Amino acid sequence: MITENQYFDGNVKSLGYETIEGKSTVGVINPGEYEFGTANKEIMHVVEGELIVLLKGETDWQIIKAGSSFEVPSSSSFKVKADVQTAYLCQYR
Amino acid sequence: MITENQYFDGNVKSLGYETIEGKSTVGVINPGEYEFGTANKEIMHVVEGELIVLLKGETDWQIIKAGSSFEVPSSSSFKVKADVQTAYLCQYR
């Protein structure tokens, strides 16, 4: 089954599916700034577009271009900014 | 806006968005075999999983692994098989 998820009034939407390594989602983030909490560790890949990310406990925002990724520990959080509609892959591992 | 699309009774779902180069979608394909027609040229990237593709006019199916892509001319069609839930990026250019 392909699950459908929405956050922040539809400014972030994702589709959930299963892989042999665990759950994943692909989604789209609208321009704006958002904060996400994590239960599992999350490996976030930018598929198209660009994200600017601030991991919990860090002071510097990181620019994550298409083809790059970042990791968020379990039971943590991260802030993310987008200037353009950005597609991402999130792997819950 | 992030548009939501479904095909083949929900076995293929995608999210549509805009980039400066044109429209794109990210989506998920369930295990099965499907045929898609194209209006624009489409550049299909496998983000996670694997697709087996037969382009119109060709006789050999191609295996497209995660990180690889294939192109479908405008006003054409292609057959695609998936053995596992597979995430893709489609760029309409």
Side-chain angles (χ1 to χ4, degrees):
Chain A
M1 197 175 81
I2 305 167
T3 60
E4 298 168 37
N5 315 295
Q6 289 202 18
Y7 311 92
F8 304 106
D9 299 325
N11 280 300
V12 179
K13 294 183 181 179
S14 70
L15 298 170
Y17 60 100
E18 298 282 339
T19 77
I20 38 174
E21 285 100 27
K23 288 186 192 305
S24 290
T25 60
V26 279
V28 181
I29 297 179
N30 272 338
E33 180 171 335
Y34 314 94
E35 183 162 7
F36 291 92
T38 62
N40 301 60
K41 179 175 90 166
E42 293 182 18
I43 307 164
M44 283 279 289
H45 307 256
V46 173
V47 171
E48 188 169 41
E50 182 176 276
L51 295 177
I52 305 124
V53 175
L54 181 66
L55 296 178
K56 189 176 178 181
E58 297 204 7
T59 51
D60 297 333
W61 290 80
Q62 304 172 51
I63 295 175
I64 312 292
K65 294 186 182 296
S68 299
S69 60
F70 62 97
E71 276 192 21
V72 189
S74 58
S75 310
S76 182
S77 64
F78 63 102
K79 290 182 179 175
V80 62
K81 291 190 272 196
D83 294 327
V84 294
Q85 284 191 301
T86 292
Y88 68 88
L89 162 68
C90 182
Q91 298 171 312
Y92 301 83
R93 297 292 183 268
Chain B
M1 198 174 83
I2 304 168
T3 59
E4 298 168 35
N5 315 295
Q6 290 202 17
Y7 311 93
F8 305 106
D9 299 324
N11 280 301
V12 179
K13 294 183 181 179
S14 70
L15 297 169
Y17 60 98
E18 297 281 340
T19 77
I20 38 174
E21 285 101 28
K23 288 187 192 308
S24 291
T25 59
V26 279
V28 180
I29 298 180
N30 273 338
E33 180 171 335
Y34 313 94
E35 183 162 7
F36 292 91
T38 63
N40 301 61
K41 178 175 90 167
E42 294 182 17
I43 307 163
M44 283 279 290
H45 307 256
V46 173
V47 171
E48 188 169 38
E50 182 176 278
L51 295 177
I52 306 123
V53 174
L54 181 66
L55 296 178
K56 190 177 177 180
E58 298 205 5
T59 51
D60 297 332
W61 290 80
Q62 303 171 51
I63 295 176
I64 313 292
K65 293 187 183 297
S68 299
S69 60
F70 62 97
E71 275 193 22
V72 189
S74 58
S75 309
S76 181
S77 63
F78 63 102
K79 290 182 179 174
V80 62
K81 291 191 273 195
D83 294 327
V84 294
Q85 284 191 302
T86 292
Y88 67 88
L89 161 68
C90 181
Q91 298 171 313
Y92 302 81
R93 297 292 182 270

